[in-house]
Amino acid sequence: MFVSKKVRLNRLMKNGRCLDVAIDHGVCNEPSFMVGLEDVQSVVNTLVDAGPDAIQMNYGQSDLLQELPGENRPALVMRVDMGNPYNKERHRSMWAVMQNETDPILPALRMDAACVVVNLFMLPDEPDLFRQCVKNISKLGNDCEKYGMPLMIEPLVMQPNSARGGYLVDGDTQKVTTLVRLAREMGADIIKADPTDNPDDFHHVVQAARCPVLVRGGGKADLRTVFDNSAALMAQGAHGMVYGRNIYQHDNPKAVVAALMAMIHDGADGQAAWDIYSGFEG
C-alpha cells in the first residue's frame, strides 16, 4: 500500500476503528432521506462538535466541513457516485454513475478527503446496474492506486422492489459475504457492509473482506436496538460503523455519537452505550 494511502487511513481509522457519520443522502433524490438534513451547515456544526472520526459527504457540501478551523475536525469521506435504486418506485431504467465522469477522484483530492466511497449494487434482475457499478469501481480503483487514495466500496444486496417497495436490504449471509468478497477482490481498502440478518453470522463478512469492515446503518430504528445490534456486530469483528439517519434524525445526535464512539473505541456494550446516551449532558 502506498505511504499516502496509509497516511489517509491513519487520519480516518483511529487505532483501526472508525465512526463515519453519513450525510451524503442528497444525491439519492429520495425525500424521506432529507428529514433532519434541511439545514446542512447546522448539521455539520453539530457533528463536528460531537467529534466522530469522519463525516461522509458529497463534493458540493464538503466545503462546509473543510472550511472550518481546527486540526481536530473529523476526516472527510467523499461519496463519488450516485444512482436511482433508493426510491420507493422501481425505475424503468436503473443506473449508477460517477458524479464526475471524466476524473472521479479529482474532487476528493481537491477537498483533501481521507477516503472515497462508491456503491456496488446487486439488485434482482438488474445486471446492467451491476455492470455499471463494476465499471465505476474499475476506473476509480485505478485512480485510487495512482494517487494514493483509500477506496471504500459499499456492496449492497437488495431485495426485489416488489417485496415491500423501496430500498430494502437483503441480509442473507451468503449473499452479503459473496458480494463483500467481490468488492475486496476489486481492490477495496475498506468495506462498508450491511449487517447480516443474524448478527452472529457477521464474522463471515469480516473474514471475506480481509480489510476493515464498517457496518452500514440504513434507516432510522429504535435506538436501544441499534446499540444492542451494533455491539453484537462489533463482537463479530466489525471495525466500526457508517451511520446516518440513526444519528442525524435523533433528537440529540451528539449523545448518539458519544455512545457509539465509546462502543467502537472503548469496548462499551449495548447497555453501557445506552447509559451514556441516557445520561448525556453537554
Side-chain angles (χ1 to χ4, degrees), residues 8 11 59-60 62-63 66-67 73 76 78 80 99-100 102-116 147 149:
R8 293 179 190 273
R11 184 148 43 105
Y59 177 67
S62 60
D63 61 301
Q66 298 299 63
E67 288 182 353
R73 66 177 180 269
L76 171 64
M78 185 171 288
V80 293
Q99 293 183 35
N100 183 328
T102 304
D103 201 349
I105 201 171
L106 184 58
L109 294 171
R110 284 173 175 163
M111 297 307 294
D112 191 31
C115 180
V116 294
Y147 293 106
M149 177 68 70

Side-chain angles (χ1 to χ4, degrees), residues 52-261:
D53 297 303
I55 303 178
Q56 186 169 299
M57 313 176 79
N58 298 297
Y59 177 67
Q61 59 183 177
S62 60
D63 61 301
L64 299 176
L65 173 65
Q66 298 299 63
E67 288 182 353
L68 292 176
E71 61 183 17
N72 295 321
R73 66 177 180 269
L76 171 64
V77 174
M78 185 171 288
R79 163 74 60 191
V80 293
D81 65 335
M82 60 190 298
N84 69 348
Y86 304 92
N87 305 126
K88 292 182 179 179
E89 299 296 327
R90 180 182 179 277
H91 298 276
R92 181 174 58 190
S93 175
M94 303 294 284
W95 53 267
V97 300
M98 306 304 290
Q99 293 183 35
N100 183 328
E101 288 278 4
T102 304
D103 201 349
I105 201 171
L106 184 58
L109 294 171
R110 284 173 175 163
M111 297 307 294
D112 191 31
C115 180
V116 294
V117 59
V118 62
N119 285 311
L120 178 58
F121 288 116
M122 176 68 80
L123 276 67
D125 301 319
E126 293 291 349
D128 288 339
L129 175 64
F130 180 75
R131 185 182 297 111
Q132 287 179 35
C133 291
V134 169
K135 184 178 179 180
N136 292 342
I137 293 169
S138 297
K139 176 171 178 51
L140 184 65
N142 287 333
D143 287 348
C144 285
E145 289 300 313
K146 181 177 180 180
Y147 293 106
M149 177 68 70
L151 173 61
M152 182 190 299
I153 298 180
E154 184 173 351
L156 294 171
V157 183
M158 295 168 62
Q159 298 179 39
N161 190 273
S162 58
R164 280 182 290 146
Y167 178 58
L168 299 175
V169 170
D170 188 335
D172 178 271
T173 299
Q174 186 177 49
K175 293 178 182 178
V176 174
T177 301
T178 301
L179 194 60
V180 165
R181 175 70 176 264
L182 174 61
R184 177 65 179 96
E185 298 198 5
M186 289 194 71
D189 299 298
I190 306 172
I191 296 288
K192 176 184 173 184
D194 280 311
T196 49
D197 287 336
N198 182 351
D200 292 341
D201 289 341
F202 198 73
H203 64 277
H204 295 296
V205 176
V206 175
Q207 181 183 45
R210 294 181 46 252
C211 66
V213 177
L214 305 181
V215 180
R216 177 182 167 274
K220 182 183 178 183
D222 172 75
L223 194 57
R224 179 57 198 268
T225 301
V226 169
F227 288 157
D228 288 341
N229 288 343
S230 298
L233 293 163
M234 291 296 295
Q236 290 292 308
H239 298 80
M241 298 135 200
V242 183
Y243 285 179
R245 284 165 284 171
N246 279 305
I247 294 177
Y248 69 74
Q249 287 185 345
H250 278 280
D251 293 337
N252 193 340
K254 188 173 182 179
V256 180
V257 168
L260 291 172
M261 288 289 281

Side-chain angles (χ1 to χ4, degrees), residues 21-52:
V21 182
I23 60 169
D24 57 338
H25 300 69
V27 296
C28 300
N29 196 34
E30 172 50 48
S32 65
F33 291 2
M34 295 297 98
V35 177
L37 289 177
E38 295 86 356
D39 184 348
V40 181
Q41 179 71 78
S42 178
V43 172
V44 171
N45 291 343
T46 296
L47 292 177
V48 170
D49 183 51

